[in-house]
Every structure is written in C-alpha cells, then in structure tokens.
Amino acid sequence: MVQVREHLYVGGEWRRPQGLNTIEIVSPVTEETIGRVPDGNRADIDSAVSAARTAFDEPGGWAQWEPGQRAEALNRFADALDARSQALAESV
C-alpha cells in the first residue's frame, strides 16, 4: 500500500505545499514505491526556515531551556518512540 502525504508540517500545523511536485519514497528492502510526499519548493523552504527561526527565538522556548529541561523533553520523546516502535517498524 502506498502512503500519500499531501501536506508539509510547518510552524506547528499541516500546510498545503506551494508547488505540485512530489517525491516518491522507495523501500530499501523491496525497491517498491511505498509512499509519496510533497517536494517543497523555495517558498515552502523559506516558510519552514521562518517558522523555525520564530520558534527558536520564542521567549521561554527550547533555546532558553536549561540542559535538564531539554533532557527531560528528549527522554519523553524517546519513550513515545519506544511505545510506538512496533507500529513504526511495520509502516516501512
């Protein structure tokens, strides 16, 4: 089954890409197409970079966190990935 994503995740929300081009995702195991994602163009990239800069500069955001706070967030993320490891493995 080919999974198709039609949006890009930018600035905390799913957005339609500016262009129409896509990238085919090929399984390294079967060499079959398993997915298709938007191929962001210059405007999409500029939008993503702007959102990232805004998030980075946000008072109280990641850049302002103490190392211990960052470690806690990364540990929660790792735990969430572990909890979904079987589903992630099966999605490839």
Coordinates of all heavy atoms in Angstrom, one line a residue:
M1 N 0.8 -1.2 0.0 CA 0.0 0.0 0.0 C 0.9 1.3 0.0 O 1.8 1.4 0.8 CB -0.9 0.0 1.2 CG -1.8 1.2 1.3 SD -3.1 1.1 2.5 CE -2.4 1.7 3.9
V2 N 0.6 2.2 -0.9 CA 1.4 3.4 -1.0 C 0.7 4.4 -0.1 O -0.5 4.7 -0.2 CB 1.4 3.9 -2.5 CG1 2.1 5.2 -2.5 CG2 2.1 2.9 -3.3
Q3 N 1.5 5.0 0.8 CA 1.0 6.1 1.7 C 1.3 7.4 1.1 O 2.5 7.6 0.6 CB 1.7 6.0 3.1 CG 1.3 4.7 3.8 CD 1.9 4.7 5.2 OE1 2.3 5.7 5.8 NE2 1.9 3.6 5.9
V4 N 0.3 8.3 1.0 CA 0.5 9.6 0.4 C 0.3 10.7 1.4 O -0.7 10.7 2.1 CB -0.5 9.7 -0.8 CG1 -0.4 11.1 -1.4 CG2 -0.3 8.7 -1.8
R5 N 1.2 11.6 1.5 CA 1.1 12.7 2.3 C 1.0 13.9 1.4 O 1.8 14.1 0.5 CB 2.3 12.9 3.3 CG 2.5 11.8 4.2 CD 1.4 11.7 5.3 NE 1.7 10.7 6.2 CZ 1.1 9.5 6.3 NH1 0.1 9.3 5.5 NH2 1.4 8.6 7.2
E6 N 0.0 14.8 1.6 CA -0.3 15.9 0.7 C 0.1 17.3 1.4 O 0.0 18.3 0.7 CB -1.7 15.9 0.3 CG -2.1 14.7 -0.5 CD -3.6 14.7 -0.9 OE1 -4.3 15.6 -0.5 OE2 -3.9 13.8 -1.7
H7 N 0.5 17.2 2.6 CA 0.8 18.5 3.3 C 2.2 18.4 3.9 O 2.8 17.3 4.2 CB -0.2 18.7 4.4 CG -1.6 19.0 3.9 ND1 -2.4 17.9 3.6 CD2 -2.3 20.1 3.7 CE1 -3.6 18.4 3.2 NE2 -3.5 19.7 3.2
L8 N 2.7 19.6 4.2 CA 4.0 19.7 4.9 C 3.7 20.2 6.4 O 2.8 21.1 6.5 CB 4.9 20.8 4.2 CG 5.3 20.4 2.8 CD1 6.0 21.6 2.1 CD2 6.3 19.2 2.8
Y9 N 4.4 19.8 7.3 CA 4.2 20.2 8.7 C 5.2 21.4 9.0 O 6.4 21.2 9.1 CB 4.5 19.1 9.7 CG 4.0 19.3 11.1 CD1 2.6 19.3 11.4 CD2 4.9 19.6 12.1 CE1 2.2 19.6 12.6 CE2 4.4 19.9 13.4 CZ 3.1 19.9 13.6 OH 2.6 20.1 14.9
V10 N 4.6 22.6 9.1 CA 5.4 23.8 9.2 C 4.8 24.7 10.3 O 3.6 24.9 10.3 CB 5.5 24.6 7.9 CG1 6.3 25.9 8.1 CG2 6.1 23.7 6.8
G11 N 5.6 25.1 11.2 CA 5.1 26.0 12.3 C 4.0 25.5 13.1 O 3.1 26.2 13.6
G12 N 4.1 24.1 13.4 CA 3.1 23.5 14.2 C 1.7 23.2 13.6 O 0.8 22.9 14.2
E13 N 1.7 23.3 12.2 CA 0.5 22.9 11.5 C 0.8 22.3 10.2 O 1.8 22.5 9.6 CB -0.4 24.2 11.4 CG 0.2 25.3 10.5 CD -0.6 26.5 10.4 OE1 -1.4 26.8 11.3 OE2 -0.5 27.3 9.4
W14 N -0.2 21.5 9.7 CA -0.1 20.9 8.4 C -0.5 22.0 7.3 O -1.6 22.6 7.5 CB -1.0 19.7 8.3 CG -0.4 18.6 9.1 CD1 -0.9 18.2 10.3 CD2 0.7 17.7 8.8 NE1 -0.1 17.1 10.8 CE2 0.8 16.8 9.9 CE3 1.5 17.6 7.7 CZ2 1.8 15.9 9.9 CZ3 2.5 16.6 7.7 CH2 2.6 15.8 8.8
R15 N 0.3 22.2 6.3 CA 0.0 23.2 5.3 C 0.2 22.6 3.9 O 1.0 21.7 3.7 CB 1.1 24.3 5.4 CG 1.1 25.1 6.7 CD 2.1 26.2 6.6 NE 2.2 26.8 7.9 CZ 3.1 27.8 8.1 NH1 3.9 28.2 7.2 NH2 3.1 28.4 9.3
R16 N -0.6 23.1 3.0 CA -0.5 22.6 1.6 C 0.8 23.2 1.0 O 1.1 24.4 1.3 CB -1.7 23.2 0.7 CG -2.9 22.3 0.9 CD -3.6 22.3 -0.5 NE -4.7 21.3 -0.5 CZ -4.5 20.1 -0.7 NH1 -3.3 19.6 -1.1 NH2 -5.5 19.2 -0.7
P17 N 1.6 22.4 0.3 CA 2.8 23.0 -0.3 C 2.5 24.0 -1.4 O 1.4 23.9 -2.0 CB 3.5 21.7 -0.9 CG 2.4 20.7 -1.1 CD 1.3 21.0 0.0
Q18 N 3.4 24.8 -1.7 CA 3.2 25.8 -2.7 C 3.3 25.2 -4.1 O 2.6 25.7 -5.0 CB 4.3 26.9 -2.6 CG 4.2 27.7 -1.3 CD 3.0 28.5 -1.2 OE1 2.6 29.2 -2.1 NE2 2.4 28.5 0.0
G19 N 4.1 24.2 -4.3 CA 4.2 23.5 -5.6 C 3.4 22.3 -5.7 O 2.8 21.8 -4.7
L20 N 3.5 21.6 -6.8 CA 2.8 20.4 -7.1 C 3.7 19.2 -7.2 O 3.1 18.0 -7.3 CB 2.0 20.5 -8.4 CG 1.0 21.7 -8.4 CD1 0.3 21.8 -9.8 CD2 -0.1 21.5 -7.4
N21 N 5.0 19.3 -7.2 CA 5.9 18.2 -7.3 C 5.9 17.3 -6.0 O 5.6 17.8 -4.9 CB 7.3 18.7 -7.6 CG 7.4 19.4 -8.9 OD1 6.6 19.1 -9.8 ND2 8.3 20.3 -9.0
T22 N 6.2 16.0 -6.2 CA 6.2 15.1 -5.1 C 7.5 14.3 -5.2 O 8.2 14.3 -6.3 CB 5.0 14.1 -5.1 OG1 5.0 13.4 -6.4 CG2 3.7 14.9 -5.0
I23 N 7.8 13.7 -4.1 CA 9.0 12.8 -4.0 C 8.4 11.4 -3.7 O 7.7 11.2 -2.8 CB 9.9 13.2 -2.9 CG1 10.5 14.6 -3.2 CG2 11.1 12.2 -2.7 CD1 11.2 15.2 -2.0
E24 N 8.9 10.4 -4.5 CA 8.5 9.0 -4.2 C 9.4 8.4 -3.2 O 10.6 8.5 -3.3 CB 8.5 8.2 -5.5 CG 7.3 8.5 -6.4 CD 7.0 7.5 -7.5 OE1 7.7 6.5 -7.5 OE2 6.1 7.7 -8.3
I25 N 8.8 7.7 -2.3 CA 9.6 7.0 -1.2 C 9.7 5.5 -1.6 O 8.7 4.9 -1.8 CB 9.0 7.1 0.2 CG1 8.6 8.6 0.5 CG2 9.8 6.5 1.2 CD1 9.8 9.5 0.5
V26 N 10.9 5.0 -1.7 CA 11.1 3.7 -2.2 C 11.7 2.8 -1.0 O 12.6 3.3 -0.3 CB 12.1 3.6 -3.4 CG1 12.5 2.2 -3.8 CG2 11.6 4.5 -4.5
S27 N 11.1 1.7 -0.8 CA 11.5 0.8 0.2 C 12.9 0.2 -0.1 O 13.1 -0.3 -1.2 CB 10.6 -0.4 0.3 OG 11.1 -1.4 1.1
P28 N 13.9 0.3 0.8 CA 15.2 -0.2 0.6 C 15.2 -1.8 0.6 O 16.1 -2.4 0.1 CB 16.0 0.3 1.7 CG 15.1 0.6 2.8 CD 13.8 1.0 2.1
V29 N 14.1 -2.4 1.1 CA 14.0 -3.8 1.1 C 13.5 -4.4 -0.2 O 14.0 -5.3 -0.8 CB 13.1 -4.2 2.3 CG1 13.0 -5.8 2.3 CG2 13.8 -3.8 3.6
T30 N 12.3 -3.8 -0.6 CA 11.7 -4.4 -1.8 C 11.9 -3.6 -3.1 O 11.6 -4.0 -4.1 CB 10.1 -4.4 -1.5 OG1 9.7 -3.1 -1.4 CG2 9.8 -5.2 -0.3
E31 N 12.4 -2.4 -2.9 CA 12.6 -1.4 -4.0 C 11.3 -1.0 -4.7 O 11.3 -0.6 -5.8 CB 13.6 -2.0 -5.0 CG 15.0 -2.2 -4.5 CD 16.0 -2.6 -5.5 OE1 15.7 -2.9 -6.6 OE2 17.2 -2.7 -5.1
E32 N 10.2 -1.2 -4.0 CA 8.9 -0.7 -4.5 C 8.6 0.6 -3.8 O 9.0 0.9 -2.7 CB 7.8 -1.7 -4.1 CG 8.0 -3.1 -4.7 CD 7.0 -4.1 -4.2 OE1 6.2 -3.8 -3.3 OE2 7.0 -5.2 -4.7
T33 N 7.8 1.4 -4.5 CA 7.3 2.7 -4.0 C 6.3 2.4 -2.9 O 5.4 1.6 -3.0 CB 6.6 3.5 -5.1 OG1 7.5 3.7 -6.2 CG2 6.0 4.8 -4.6
I34 N 6.6 3.0 -1.7 CA 5.8 2.8 -0.5 C 5.1 4.1 -0.1 O 4.3 4.1 0.8 CB 6.6 2.2 0.6 CG1 7.8 3.1 1.0 CG2 7.1 0.8 0.3 CD1 8.5 2.7 2.3
G35 N 5.5 5.2 -0.7 CA 4.9 6.5 -0.3 C 5.2 7.6 -1.2 O 6.1 7.5 -2.1
R36 N 4.6 8.7 -1.0 CA 4.8 9.9 -1.8 C 4.5 11.1 -0.9 O 3.6 11.1 -0.1 CB 3.8 9.9 -3.0 CG 4.1 10.9 -4.0 CD 3.2 10.8 -5.2 NE 3.1 9.5 -5.8 CZ 2.1 8.6 -5.7 NH1 1.1 8.9 -5.0 NH2 2.2 7.4 -6.3
V37 N 5.5 12.0 -0.9 CA 5.4 13.2 -0.1 C 5.6 14.5 -1.0 O 6.2 14.4 -2.0 CB 6.5 13.2 1.0 CG1 6.2 12.0 2.0 CG2 7.9 13.1 0.5
P38 N 5.2 15.6 -0.5 CA 5.4 16.8 -1.2 C 6.9 17.2 -1.4 O 7.6 16.9 -0.4 CB 4.7 17.9 -0.4 CG 3.7 17.2 0.5 CD 4.4 15.9 0.7
D39 N 7.2 17.7 -2.5 CA 8.6 18.2 -2.7 C 8.6 19.7 -2.5 O 8.1 20.4 -3.4 CB 9.1 17.8 -4.1 CG 10.5 18.2 -4.4 OD1 11.2 18.6 -3.5 OD2 10.9 18.1 -5.6
G40 N 8.9 20.1 -1.4 CA 8.9 21.5 -1.0 C 9.7 22.4 -2.0 O 10.8 22.0 -2.3
N41 N 9.1 23.5 -2.4 CA 9.9 24.4 -3.3 C 10.5 25.5 -2.4 O 10.4 25.5 -1.2 CB 9.0 24.9 -4.4 CG 7.8 25.8 -3.9 OD1 7.8 26.2 -2.8 ND2 6.8 25.9 -4.8
R42 N 11.1 26.5 -3.1 CA 11.7 27.6 -2.4 C 10.8 28.3 -1.4 O 11.2 28.6 -0.3 CB 12.3 28.6 -3.4 CG 13.1 29.8 -2.7 CD 13.6 30.7 -3.7 NE 14.7 30.1 -4.5 CZ 16.0 30.2 -4.1 NH1 16.3 30.7 -2.9 NH2 17.0 29.6 -4.8
A43 N 9.6 28.6 -1.8 CA 8.6 29.2 -0.9 C 8.3 28.4 0.3 O 8.2 28.9 1.5 CB 7.3 29.6 -1.6
D44 N 8.2 27.1 0.2 CA 8.0 26.2 1.3 C 9.2 26.2 2.2 O 9.0 26.2 3.5 CB 7.7 24.7 0.8 CG 6.4 24.6 0.0 OD1 5.4 25.2 0.4 OD2 6.5 23.9 -1.1
I45 N 10.3 26.1 1.7 CA 11.6 26.1 2.5 C 11.7 27.4 3.2 O 12.0 27.4 4.4 CB 12.8 25.9 1.6 CG1 12.7 24.4 1.0 CG2 14.1 26.1 2.4 CD1 13.7 24.2 -0.1
D46 N 11.5 28.6 2.6 CA 11.5 29.9 3.3 C 10.5 29.9 4.4 O 10.8 30.4 5.5 CB 11.2 31.0 2.3 CG 12.4 31.2 1.3 OD1 13.5 30.7 1.5 OD2 12.2 31.9 0.3
S47 N 9.3 29.4 4.2 CA 8.3 29.4 5.2 C 8.7 28.5 6.4 O 8.6 28.9 7.6 CB 7.0 28.8 4.6 OG 6.0 28.7 5.6
A48 N 9.3 27.3 6.1 CA 9.8 26.5 7.2 C 11.0 27.1 8.0 O 11.0 27.0 9.2 CB 10.2 25.1 6.6
V49 N 11.9 27.7 7.3 CA 13.0 28.4 8.0 C 12.5 29.5 8.8 O 12.9 29.7 10.0 CB 14.1 28.9 6.9 CG1 15.1 29.8 7.6 CG2 14.7 27.7 6.3
S50 N 11.6 30.3 8.3 CA 11.0 31.4 9.1 C 10.3 30.9 10.3 O 10.4 31.4 11.4 CB 10.0 32.2 8.2 OG 9.4 33.2 9.0
A51 N 9.5 29.8 10.2 CA 8.8 29.2 11.4 C 9.8 28.7 12.4 O 9.7 28.9 13.6 CB 7.9 28.1 10.9
A52 N 10.9 28.1 11.9 CA 11.9 27.6 12.8 C 12.6 28.7 13.6 O 12.9 28.6 14.8 CB 12.9 26.7 12.0
R53 N 12.9 29.8 12.8 CA 13.6 30.9 13.5 C 12.7 31.5 14.6 O 13.1 31.9 15.6 CB 13.9 32.0 12.4 CG 14.6 33.2 13.0 CD 16.1 33.1 13.1 NE 16.4 32.8 14.5 CZ 17.7 32.4 14.8 NH1 18.6 32.3 13.9 NH2 17.9 32.2 16.1
T54 N 11.4 31.7 14.2 CA 10.4 32.2 15.2 C 10.4 31.3 16.4 O 10.4 31.8 17.5 CB 9.0 32.3 14.5 OG1 9.1 33.3 13.4 CG2 8.0 32.8 15.5
A55 N 10.3 30.0 16.2 CA 10.2 29.1 17.3 C 11.5 29.2 18.2 O 11.4 29.1 19.4 CB 10.0 27.7 16.8
F56 N 12.6 29.3 17.5 CA 13.9 29.3 18.2 C 14.0 30.6 19.1 O 14.5 30.5 20.2 CB 15.1 29.2 17.2 CG 16.4 29.2 17.9 CD1 16.9 28.0 18.4 CD2 17.2 30.3 18.0 CE1 18.1 27.9 19.0 CE2 18.4 30.2 18.7 CZ 18.9 29.0 19.2
D57 N 13.5 31.7 18.5 CA 13.7 33.0 19.2 C 12.6 33.2 20.3 O 12.6 34.2 21.0 CB 13.6 34.1 18.2 CG 14.9 34.1 17.4 OD1 15.9 33.6 17.8 OD2 14.8 34.7 16.3
E58 N 11.6 32.3 20.3 CA 10.4 32.5 21.3 C 10.9 32.5 22.7 O 11.6 31.6 23.2 CB 9.5 31.3 21.1 CG 8.2 31.4 21.9 CD 7.3 30.3 21.6 OE1 7.0 30.1 20.4 OE2 6.8 29.7 22.6
P59 N 10.5 33.6 23.5 CA 10.9 33.6 24.9 C 10.3 32.4 25.6 O 9.2 32.0 25.4 CB 10.2 34.9 25.4 CG 10.0 35.7 24.2 CD 9.7 34.7 23.1
G60 N 11.2 31.7 26.4 CA 10.7 30.5 27.1 C 10.8 29.3 26.3 O 10.4 28.2 26.8
G61 N 11.2 29.4 25.0 CA 11.3 28.2 24.1 C 12.5 27.4 24.3 O 13.3 27.7 25.2
W62 N 12.7 26.4 23.5 CA 13.8 25.4 23.6 C 15.2 26.1 23.8 O 16.0 25.6 24.6 CB 13.8 24.6 22.3 CG 14.9 23.6 22.2 CD1 16.1 23.7 21.7 CD2 14.8 22.2 22.8 NE1 16.8 22.5 21.8 CE2 16.0 21.6 22.5 CE3 13.8 21.5 23.4 CZ2 16.3 20.3 22.8 CZ3 14.1 20.2 23.8 CH2 15.3 19.6 23.5
A63 N 15.4 27.2 23.0 CA 16.8 27.8 23.1 C 17.0 28.4 24.5 O 18.2 28.6 24.9 CB 16.9 28.9 22.1
Q64 N 16.0 28.6 25.3 CA 16.1 29.2 26.6 C 16.1 28.2 27.7 O 16.3 28.5 28.9 CB 14.9 30.2 26.9 CG 14.8 31.3 25.8 CD 16.0 32.1 25.6 OE1 16.7 32.5 26.6 NE2 16.4 32.4 24.4
W65 N 15.8 26.9 27.4 CA 15.7 25.9 28.4 C 17.0 25.5 28.9 O 18.0 25.5 28.2 CB 15.0 24.6 27.8 CG 13.6 24.7 27.4 CD1 12.8 25.9 27.5 CD2 12.7 23.7 27.0 NE1 11.6 25.6 27.1 CE2 11.5 24.2 26.8 CE3 12.9 22.3 26.8 CZ2 10.4 23.5 26.4 CZ3 11.9 21.6 26.4 CH2 10.6 22.2 26.2
E66 N 17.0 25.1 30.2 CA 18.2 24.5 30.8 C 18.5 23.1 30.3 O 17.5 22.5 29.8 CB 18.0 24.5 32.3 CG 17.8 25.8 33.0 CD 19.1 26.7 32.9 OE1 20.2 26.1 33.0 OE2 19.0 27.9 32.7
P67 N 19.7 22.7 30.3 CA 20.0 21.3 29.8 C 19.1 20.2 30.4 O 18.7 19.3 29.7 CB 21.5 21.1 30.1 CG 22.0 22.5 30.2 CD 20.9 23.4 30.7
G68 N 18.8 20.3 31.7 CA 18.0 19.3 32.3 C 16.6 19.3 31.7 O 16.0 18.2 31.6
Q69 N 16.0 20.5 31.4 CA 14.7 20.5 30.8 C 14.7 19.9 29.4 O 13.8 19.2 29.0 CB 14.2 22.0 30.7 CG 13.9 22.7 32.0 CD 13.6 24.1 31.7 OE1 14.5 24.9 31.4 NE2 12.3 24.5 31.9
R70 N 15.8 20.2 28.7 CA 15.9 19.6 27.3 C 16.0 18.1 27.4 O 15.4 17.3 26.7 CB 17.1 20.1 26.6 CG 17.0 21.6 26.2 CD 18.2 22.1 25.5 NE 18.2 23.5 25.3 CZ 19.0 24.2 24.6 NH1 20.1 23.6 24.1 NH2 18.9 25.5 24.5
A71 N 16.8 17.6 28.4 CA 17.0 16.1 28.6 C 15.6 15.5 28.9 O 15.3 14.4 28.4 CB 18.0 15.9 29.7
E72 N 14.8 16.1 29.8 CA 13.5 15.6 30.1 C 12.6 15.5 28.9 O 12.0 14.5 28.6 CB 12.8 16.4 31.2 CG 13.4 16.3 32.5 CD 12.8 17.2 33.5 OE1 11.6 17.6 33.3 OE2 13.4 17.5 34.5
A73 N 12.6 16.5 28.0 CA 11.8 16.5 26.8 C 12.3 15.4 25.9 O 11.5 14.7 25.3 CB 11.9 17.9 26.1
L74 N 13.6 15.3 25.7 CA 14.1 14.2 24.8 C 13.8 12.8 25.3 O 13.5 11.9 24.5 CB 15.6 14.4 24.6 CG 16.0 15.7 23.8 CD1 17.5 15.9 23.7 CD2 15.4 15.6 22.3
N75 N 13.9 12.7 26.6 CA 13.5 11.4 27.2 C 12.1 11.0 27.0 O 11.7 9.9 26.7 CB 13.9 11.3 28.7 CG 15.4 11.2 28.9 OD1 16.1 10.5 28.1 ND2 15.9 11.7 30.0
R76 N 11.2 12.0 27.1 CA 9.7 11.8 26.9 C 9.6 11.4 25.4 O 8.8 10.5 25.1 CB 8.9 13.0 27.2 CG 8.7 13.2 28.7 CD 7.6 14.2 29.0 NE 7.7 15.5 28.3 CZ 8.5 16.6 28.7 NH1 9.2 16.5 29.8 NH2 8.5 17.6 28.0
F77 N 10.3 12.1 24.5 CA 10.2 11.8 23.1 C 10.7 10.3 22.8 O 10.0 9.6 22.1 CB 11.0 12.8 22.3 CG 11.0 12.5 20.8 CD1 9.8 12.7 20.1 CD2 12.1 12.2 20.1 CE1 9.8 12.5 18.7 CE2 12.1 12.0 18.8 CZ 11.0 12.1 18.1
A78 N 11.8 10.0 23.4 CA 12.3 8.6 23.3 C 11.3 7.6 23.8 O 11.1 6.5 23.1 CB 13.7 8.5 24.0
D79 N 10.7 7.9 24.9 CA 9.7 6.9 25.5 C 8.5 6.8 24.5 O 8.0 5.7 24.3 CB 9.2 7.4 26.8 CG 10.2 7.3 27.9 OD1 11.2 6.6 27.7 OD2 10.1 8.0 29.0
A80 N 8.1 7.9 23.9 CA 6.9 7.9 23.0 C 7.3 7.1 21.7 O 6.5 6.3 21.2 CB 6.5 9.3 22.6
L81 N 8.5 7.2 21.3 CA 9.0 6.4 20.1 C 9.0 4.9 20.5 O 8.6 4.1 19.7 CB 10.4 6.8 19.6 CG 10.5 8.1 18.8 CD1 11.9 8.5 18.5 CD2 9.7 8.0 17.6
D82 N 9.6 4.6 21.7 CA 9.6 3.2 22.1 C 8.2 2.6 22.2 O 8.0 1.5 21.8 CB 10.2 3.1 23.5 CG 11.8 3.2 23.4 OD1 12.3 3.1 22.3 OD2 12.4 3.5 24.5
A83 N 7.2 3.4 22.7 CA 5.9 2.9 22.8 C 5.2 2.6 21.4 O 4.3 1.8 21.3 CB 5.0 3.9 23.5
R84 N 5.8 3.3 20.4 CA 5.2 3.1 19.0 C 6.2 2.3 18.1 O 6.0 2.3 16.9 CB 5.0 4.5 18.4 CG 3.9 5.2 19.1 CD 3.8 6.7 18.6 NE 2.7 7.5 19.2 CZ 2.8 8.1 20.4 NH1 3.9 7.9 21.1 NH2 1.8 8.7 20.8
S85 N 7.2 1.7 18.7 CA 8.2 1.0 17.9 C 7.7 0.0 16.9 O 8.1 -0.1 15.8 CB 9.3 0.5 18.8 OG 8.8 -0.5 19.6
Q86 N 6.7 -0.8 17.4 CA 6.2 -1.9 16.6 C 5.4 -1.3 15.4 O 5.6 -1.8 14.2 CB 5.3 -2.8 17.4 CG 4.8 -4.0 16.6 CD 5.9 -5.0 16.2 OE1 6.9 -5.2 17.0 NE2 5.8 -5.5 15.0
A87 N 4.6 -0.3 15.6 CA 3.8 0.3 14.5 C 4.8 1.0 13.6 O 4.6 0.9 12.3 CB 2.8 1.3 15.1
L88 N 5.8 1.6 14.1 CA 6.8 2.3 13.2 C 7.5 1.2 12.3 O 7.7 1.5 11.1 CB 7.8 3.1 14.0 CG 7.3 4.4 14.7 CD1 8.3 4.9 15.6 CD2 6.9 5.4 13.6
A89 N 7.9 0.1 12.9 CA 8.6 -0.9 12.2 C 7.7 -1.5 11.1 O 8.2 -1.8 10.0 CB 9.1 -2.0 13.1
E90 N 6.5 -1.6 11.4 CA 5.5 -2.2 10.4 C 5.2 -1.3 9.3 O 4.7 -1.7 8.3 CB 4.3 -2.7 11.1 CG 4.5 -3.9 12.0 CD 3.4 -4.3 12.9 OE1 2.3 -3.6 12.8 OE2 3.5 -5.3 13.6
S91 N 5.4 0.0 9.5 CA 5.0 1.0 8.5 C 6.0 1.1 7.3 O 5.7 1.8 6.4 CB 4.8 2.4 9.1 OG 6.0 2.9 9.5
V92 N 7.1 0.5 7.4 CA 8.1 0.6 6.4 C 8.0 -0.5 5.4 O 7.7 -1.5 5.4 CB 9.5 0.6 7.0 CG1 10.6 0.6 5.9 CG2 9.7 1.7 7.9

